[in-house]
mmCIF file of all heavy atoms in Angstrom:
data_model
loop_
_atom_site.group_PDB
_atom_site.id
_atom_site.type_symbol
_atom_site.label_atom_id
_atom_site.label_comp_id
_atom_site.label_asym_id
_atom_site.label_seq_id
_atom_site.Cartn_x
_atom_site.Cartn_y
_atom_site.Cartn_z
ATOM 1 N N MET A 1 -63.489 131.864 26.106
ATOM 2 C CA MET A 1 -62.913 132.797 25.164
ATOM 3 C C MET A 1 -62.951 134.183 25.787
ATOM 4 O O MET A 1 -63.936 134.553 26.414
ATOM 5 C CB MET A 1 -63.719 132.766 23.856
ATOM 6 C CG MET A 1 -63.145 133.650 22.783
ATOM 7 S SD MET A 1 -64.080 133.622 21.226
ATOM 8 C CE MET A 1 -63.972 131.931 20.751
ATOM 9 N N ALA A 2 -61.904 134.971 25.608
ATOM 10 C CA ALA A 2 -61.861 136.325 26.150
ATOM 11 C C ALA A 2 -62.892 137.190 25.455
ATOM 12 O O ALA A 2 -63.240 136.957 24.299
ATOM 13 C CB ALA A 2 -60.462 136.915 25.946
ATOM 14 N N SER A 3 -63.382 138.190 26.191
ATOM 15 C CA SER A 3 -64.354 139.078 25.558
ATOM 16 C C SER A 3 -63.679 139.818 24.423
ATOM 17 O O SER A 3 -62.467 140.003 24.410
ATOM 18 C CB SER A 3 -64.919 140.067 26.576
ATOM 19 O OG SER A 3 -63.936 141.029 26.895
ATOM 20 N N LYS A 4 -64.481 140.265 23.450
ATOM 21 C CA LYS A 4 -63.937 140.916 22.273
ATOM 22 C C LYS A 4 -63.089 142.131 22.648
ATOM 23 O O LYS A 4 -62.046 142.372 22.060
ATOM 24 C CB LYS A 4 -65.077 141.324 21.339
ATOM 25 C CG LYS A 4 -64.599 141.815 20.006
ATOM 26 C CD LYS A 4 -65.765 142.041 19.085
ATOM 27 C CE LYS A 4 -65.282 142.461 17.722
ATOM 28 N NZ LYS A 4 -66.367 142.644 16.800
ATOM 29 N N ALA A 5 -63.526 142.884 23.662
ATOM 30 C CA ALA A 5 -62.796 144.074 24.081
ATOM 31 C C ALA A 5 -61.424 143.728 24.636
ATOM 32 O O ALA A 5 -60.483 144.506 24.517
ATOM 33 C CB ALA A 5 -63.610 144.844 25.116
ATOM 34 N N ASN A 6 -61.267 142.543 25.248
ATOM 35 C CA ASN A 6 -59.999 142.145 25.853
ATOM 36 C C ASN A 6 -59.138 141.288 24.930
ATOM 37 O O ASN A 6 -58.026 140.935 25.290
ATOM 38 C CB ASN A 6 -60.253 141.370 27.150
ATOM 39 C CG ASN A 6 -60.935 142.233 28.186
ATOM 40 O OD1 ASN A 6 -60.732 143.437 28.211
ATOM 41 N ND2 ASN A 6 -61.753 141.624 29.016
ATOM 42 N N ARG A 7 -59.643 140.938 23.760
ATOM 43 C CA ARG A 7 -58.927 140.045 22.859
ATOM 44 C C ARG A 7 -57.969 140.849 21.985
ATOM 45 O O ARG A 7 -58.349 141.854 21.395
ATOM 46 C CB ARG A 7 -59.937 139.326 21.971
ATOM 47 C CG ARG A 7 -59.339 138.140 21.285
ATOM 48 C CD ARG A 7 -60.355 137.272 20.570
ATOM 49 N NE ARG A 7 -61.585 137.147 21.294
ATOM 50 C CZ ARG A 7 -62.772 137.460 20.766
ATOM 51 N NH1 ARG A 7 -62.866 137.878 19.542
ATOM 52 N NH2 ARG A 7 -63.866 137.331 21.469
ATOM 53 N N PRO A 8 -56.700 140.439 21.890
ATOM 54 C CA PRO A 8 -55.768 141.165 21.019
ATOM 55 C C PRO A 8 -56.173 141.032 19.557
ATOM 56 O O PRO A 8 -56.769 140.030 19.150
ATOM 57 C CB PRO A 8 -54.420 140.487 21.282
ATOM 58 C CG PRO A 8 -54.735 139.180 21.909
ATOM 59 C CD PRO A 8 -56.087 139.298 22.549
ATOM 60 N N LEU A 9 -55.840 142.068 18.775
ATOM 61 C CA LEU A 9 -56.214 142.056 17.368
ATOM 62 C C LEU A 9 -55.535 140.953 16.585
ATOM 63 O O LEU A 9 -55.993 140.576 15.517
ATOM 64 C CB LEU A 9 -55.902 143.417 16.729
ATOM 65 C CG LEU A 9 -56.759 144.573 17.227
ATOM 66 C CD1 LEU A 9 -56.313 145.876 16.572
ATOM 67 C CD2 LEU A 9 -58.234 144.316 16.960
ATOM 68 N N ASP A 10 -54.431 140.414 17.117
ATOM 69 C CA ASP A 10 -53.747 139.332 16.417
ATOM 70 C C ASP A 10 -54.114 137.958 16.984
ATOM 71 O O ASP A 10 -53.429 136.982 16.745
ATOM 72 C CB ASP A 10 -52.235 139.534 16.434
ATOM 73 C CG ASP A 10 -51.651 139.513 17.839
ATOM 74 O OD1 ASP A 10 -52.435 139.604 18.811
ATOM 75 O OD2 ASP A 10 -50.421 139.445 17.956
ATOM 76 N N SER A 11 -55.222 137.884 17.726
ATOM 77 C CA SER A 11 -55.645 136.594 18.256
ATOM 78 C C SER A 11 -56.031 135.668 17.105
ATOM 79 O O SER A 11 -56.357 136.116 16.006
ATOM 80 C CB SER A 11 -56.820 136.760 19.212
ATOM 81 O OG SER A 11 -58.000 137.047 18.498
ATOM 82 N N LEU A 12 -56.000 134.392 17.376
ATOM 83 C CA LEU A 12 -56.326 133.399 16.364
ATOM 84 C C LEU A 12 -57.750 133.573 15.839
ATOM 85 O O LEU A 12 -57.993 133.464 14.637
ATOM 86 C CB LEU A 12 -56.132 131.999 16.948
ATOM 87 C CG LEU A 12 -56.123 130.841 15.965
ATOM 88 C CD1 LEU A 12 -55.040 131.017 14.925
ATOM 89 C CD2 LEU A 12 -55.918 129.540 16.712
ATOM 90 N N GLU A 13 -58.678 133.877 16.735
ATOM 91 C CA GLU A 13 -60.077 134.061 16.322
ATOM 92 C C GLU A 13 -60.221 135.232 15.365
ATOM 93 O O GLU A 13 -60.923 135.150 14.356
ATOM 94 C CB GLU A 13 -60.986 134.281 17.534
ATOM 95 C CG GLU A 13 -61.094 133.103 18.460
ATOM 96 C CD GLU A 13 -60.057 133.136 19.579
ATOM 97 O OE1 GLU A 13 -59.090 133.932 19.522
ATOM 98 O OE2 GLU A 13 -60.208 132.334 20.515
ATOM 99 N N VAL A 14 -59.548 136.354 15.686
ATOM 100 C CA VAL A 14 -59.640 137.556 14.845
ATOM 101 C C VAL A 14 -58.945 137.318 13.509
ATOM 102 O O VAL A 14 -59.476 137.661 12.446
ATOM 103 C CB VAL A 14 -59.059 138.781 15.579
ATOM 104 C CG1 VAL A 14 -58.960 139.987 14.648
ATOM 105 C CG2 VAL A 14 -59.915 139.113 16.799
ATOM 106 N N LEU A 15 -57.759 136.711 13.540
ATOM 107 C CA LEU A 15 -57.028 136.396 12.309
ATOM 108 C C LEU A 15 -57.865 135.500 11.404
ATOM 109 O O LEU A 15 -58.033 135.779 10.217
ATOM 110 C CB LEU A 15 -55.701 135.709 12.650
ATOM 111 C CG LEU A 15 -54.909 135.149 11.463
ATOM 112 C CD1 LEU A 15 -54.423 136.273 10.572
ATOM 113 C CD2 LEU A 15 -53.756 134.310 11.978
ATOM 114 N N PHE A 16 -58.399 134.440 11.970
ATOM 115 C CA PHE A 16 -59.219 133.507 11.200
ATOM 116 C C PHE A 16 -60.440 134.229 10.620
ATOM 117 O O PHE A 16 -60.735 134.112 9.431
ATOM 118 C CB PHE A 16 -59.655 132.345 12.086
ATOM 119 C CG PHE A 16 -60.486 131.321 11.371
ATOM 120 C CD1 PHE A 16 -59.883 130.342 10.608
ATOM 121 C CD2 PHE A 16 -61.870 131.350 11.457
ATOM 122 C CE1 PHE A 16 -60.647 129.395 9.931
ATOM 123 C CE2 PHE A 16 -62.640 130.408 10.789
ATOM 124 C CZ PHE A 16 -62.028 129.430 10.025
ATOM 125 N N ASN A 18 -60.898 137.416 10.012
ATOM 126 C CA ASN A 18 -60.509 138.368 8.961
ATOM 127 C C ASN A 18 -60.214 137.647 7.649
ATOM 128 O O ASN A 18 -60.575 138.126 6.568
ATOM 129 C CB ASN A 18 -59.296 139.186 9.399
ATOM 130 C CG ASN A 18 -59.642 140.227 10.429
ATOM 131 O OD1 ASN A 18 -60.793 140.646 10.563
ATOM 132 N ND2 ASN A 18 -58.649 140.656 11.180
ATOM 133 N N ASN A 50 -66.250 138.206 12.882
ATOM 134 C CA ASN A 50 -65.968 139.238 13.879
ATOM 135 C C ASN A 50 -65.051 138.749 14.993
ATOM 136 O O ASN A 50 -64.704 139.515 15.883
ATOM 137 C CB ASN A 50 -67.276 139.754 14.484
ATOM 138 C CG ASN A 50 -68.079 140.538 13.478
ATOM 139 O OD1 ASN A 50 -67.531 141.188 12.592
ATOM 140 N ND2 ASN A 50 -69.393 140.480 13.595
ATOM 141 N N GLY A 51 -64.672 137.480 14.960
ATOM 142 C CA GLY A 51 -63.799 136.926 15.981
ATOM 143 C C GLY A 51 -64.514 136.608 17.284
ATOM 144 O O GLY A 51 -63.883 136.415 18.315
#
Side-chain angles (χ1 to χ4, degrees):
M1 183 180 299
S3 73
K4 189 173 183 178
N6 296 329
R7 195 171 322 124
L9 292 177
D10 63 346
S11 74
L12 193 58
E13 295 91 347
V14 172
L15 172 66
F16 181 82
N18 286 338
N50 291 329

